[in-house]
Amino acid sequence: MNDPIVITGMAVEAPGGIETPAQYWAALAESRDLIGPFPRDRGWPIERLLSLSEVDGWSAVRDAGGFLDTATEFDPMFFGISPREAVAMDPQQRVALKVAWCALENAGLNPGLLDGDEVGCYMGVSYTEYGPHAAEVNDYSGYRAAGVALGAVSGRISNCLGLGGPSIVVDTACASSLSALHLAAAAVRGGECEWALAGAVCVMGSAGPFFEFSKNNALSTDGQCKPYSEEATGTLWGEGAGVVVLERESRARELGHRIHGRILATRVNHNGGGAPIAVPSTEAQERLIRKTVAAAGISPEVVGMIEGHGTGTAVGDPLELAALQRVYGGGKARLGSVKSNLGHAQAASGMLGLIKVLLSGSHGRIAPTRFADTPTTKVDWDTSGLRLAAELDHWQPHDGIRYGAVSSFGVSGTNAHALLAIPADEEETHV
């Protein structure tokens, strides 16, 4: 790879009041629990939610999830948006815009001076039922077309910042983050834009995911998400956003930009037919991971940290673990999932995991995954070098590089995988 795509800026918003990469790293390093009660300022039917177990065939819903504290707060005038239009905007647009601005500042760029630049914007996002229906007369009428359109998440960023490159939203369910990263890196590599923003956002406009998984009996019964753990009882929904700045390494070096990490390879595939669409496929994930490793031109044994999908479900975790062990089992990688801290942030989960890997590489420490002291017995750990990251541990570089992997898959049947190279000489510098 003569001129790899590198990450030169990042920003994150996560549950627990986290609004900076430094705050995010502190929470991860301390193995902090970022789960909190349902938000009481969104008009959700809380009493109905908490009584769903009284309905035959539905499981209990705990008063818990990974929610953004300031999802309802936004300064529209700062971005040149009228207050009335801001109310009609899906909060995912608002949060994505704020985080994109912060990512640019993190990269040392002035977001207010980009008007007309050929910059791409690729965002992973899924529909979350914000606001009333369009076929009604209400205060949102007249603004609904752009207010709830998925394409307006990236479009809003491009419009407010004056970015003239490709502006695309990707919805591959929970694989949306890494799918967006894949397309953004390809666009920069192919010359469609000189540089790009890649990210994802999830803010739940309704409590729909909790209803859905209560009916499916796949929701955590104890209000915690426990990836790869024998104690896992189901997934727990969360929210968050992350955005990274991508450019060619030659450009970054020329402009003196700090390199957080290189994107060695990204790949996306689908499970295909056979099983129901929502059931993960070990075989498809294994094929994908092997293709990504081959495209990166590295041995899987050099990968020291793997940020898995890890939803804490009885079906998904063992199938994913089998694929990871088949490819990475010959090494000594440490595996975890940020969902153990903040729940399953759906479309944004992969980007939150990717930023976790970048920060771990920068600090030379593998962030622990919570509940790792009781690994699932549904896979054979004894014949694999793969282990859960049970504590904050030193990340040994390989020839001056720390290699990390990020994996995601979605209910749509899409799988995504990314391999990163983080220069060890960037360790513990300010992010």
Side-chain angles (χ1 to χ4, degrees):
M1 189 179 297
N2 295 326
D3 197 3
I5 306 303
V6 297
I7 296 171
T8 55
M10 68 173 98
V12 65
E13 187 165 335
I18 291 170
E19 295 183 328
T20 67
Q23 292 173 344
Y24 190 45
W25 171 250
L28 297 177
E30 296 167 8
S31 197
R32 198 180 304 164
D33 181 3
L34 302 176
I35 301 301
F38 286 125
R40 263 60 178 180
D41 58 354
R42 302 188 192 181
W44 287 6
I46 305 297
E47 291 186 10
R48 177 63 171 161
L49 267 173
L50 300 180
S51 63
L52 281 178
S53 60
E54 299 173 8
V55 182
D56 187 39
W58 295 61
S59 61
V61 177
R62 301 301 177 192
D63 190 0
F67 303 105
L68 296 182
D69 294 347
T70 59
T72 60
E73 299 176 10
F74 183 65
D75 182 0
M77 302 304 290
F78 180 83
F79 294 104
I81 299 170
S82 72
R84 185 179 178 188
E85 183 175 10
V87 172
M89 285 168 55
D90 185 337
Q92 296 185 124
Q93 294 184 30
R94 305 179 219 149
V95 172
L97 185 53
K98 290 189 296 181
V99 177
W101 184 283
C102 292
L104 293 167
E105 290 184 327
N106 181 265
L109 301 171
N110 185 338
L113 298 179
L114 301 177
D115 195 14
D117 286 10
E118 292 292 318
V119 180
C121 182
Y122 295 77
M123 294 294 297
V125 60
S126 296
Y127 178 61
T128 63
E129 299 185 308
Y130 175 69
H133 294 295
E136 298 177 2
V137 176
N138 52 60
D139 291 341
Y140 294 74
S141 298
Y143 294 100
R144 296 284 290 166
V148 297
L150 285 184
V153 174
S154 61
R156 188 73 66 176
I157 295 170
S158 296
N159 176 256
C160 289
L161 300 179
L163 310 182
S167 188
I168 296 174
V169 154
V170 182
D171 183 7
T172 53
C174 303
S176 297
S177 289
L178 298 188
S179 298
L181 181 78
H182 176 70
L183 293 178
V188 176
R189 192 179 296 114
E192 294 183 56
C193 48
E194 190 170 13
W195 56 282
L197 295 169
V201 61
C202 174
V203 183
M204 285 179 276
S206 81
F210 289 92
F211 281 90
E212 187 74 4
F213 267 53
S214 170
K215 178 59 176 175
N216 291 337
N217 293 292
L219 197 63
S220 169
T221 62
D222 58 8
Q224 291 287 338
C225 186
K226 301 178 179 179
Y228 316 121
S229 172
E230 185 69 11
E231 299 176 352
T233 61
T235 201
L236 184 71
W237 298 120
E239 301 174 328
V243 175
V244 295
V245 178
L246 307 183
E247 59 186 313
R248 296 182 307 278
E249 184 165 352
S250 60
R251 182 179 189 273
R253 299 289 185 191
E254 179 182 350
L255 297 176
H257 295 167
R258 186 228 167 146
I259 295 176
H260 295 288
R262 300 184 185 96
I263 300 176
L264 295 183
T266 58
R267 290 293 183 271
V268 178
N269 77 355
H270 195 273
N271 295 333
I277 189 172
V279 177
S281 168
T282 294
E283 289 70 26
Q285 290 183 37
E286 180 185 356
R287 288 196 303 271
L288 176 71
I289 297 169
R290 291 194 185 281
K291 286 183 177 180
T292 313
V293 171
I298 63 173
S299 167
E301 285 75 19
V302 305
V303 174
M305 178 180 179
I306 301 171
E307 175 66 10
H309 194 58
T311 59
T313 57
V315 174
D317 282 11
L319 293 175
E320 180 192 8
L321 283 171
L324 291 171
Q325 286 181 328
R326 289 176 189 177
V327 181
Y328 294 115
K332 297 180 179 180
R334 292 296 174 261
L335 167 69
S337 172
V338 74
K339 296 177 183 65
S340 68
N341 301 90
L342 50 80
H344 188 351
Q346 302 162 73
S349 60
M351 188 56 61
L352 293 173
L354 182 137
I355 293 175
K356 172 186 171 181
V357 172
L358 291 172
L359 292 171
S360 292
S362 171
H363 289 82
R365 299 290 185 273
I366 296 176
T369 194
R370 303 179 71 235
F371 313 110
D373 53 340
T374 55
T376 178
T377 57
K378 293 181 180 179
V379 298
D380 182 7
W381 297 96
D382 294 335
T383 58
S384 169
L386 197 62
R387 293 289 183 271
L388 296 184
E391 58 186 8
L392 187 65
D393 197 9
H394 179 68
W395 186 352
Q396 184 66 37
H398 186 274
D399 294 334
I401 300 292
R402 295 187 175 95
Y403 295 96
V406 188
S407 197
S408 290
F409 56 87
V411 72
S412 62
T414 300
N415 309 296
H417 199 72
L419 279 168
L420 308 173
I422 303 161
D425 59 6
E426 299 285 352
E427 184 174 331
E428 295 184 10
T429 53
H430 177 68
V431 295

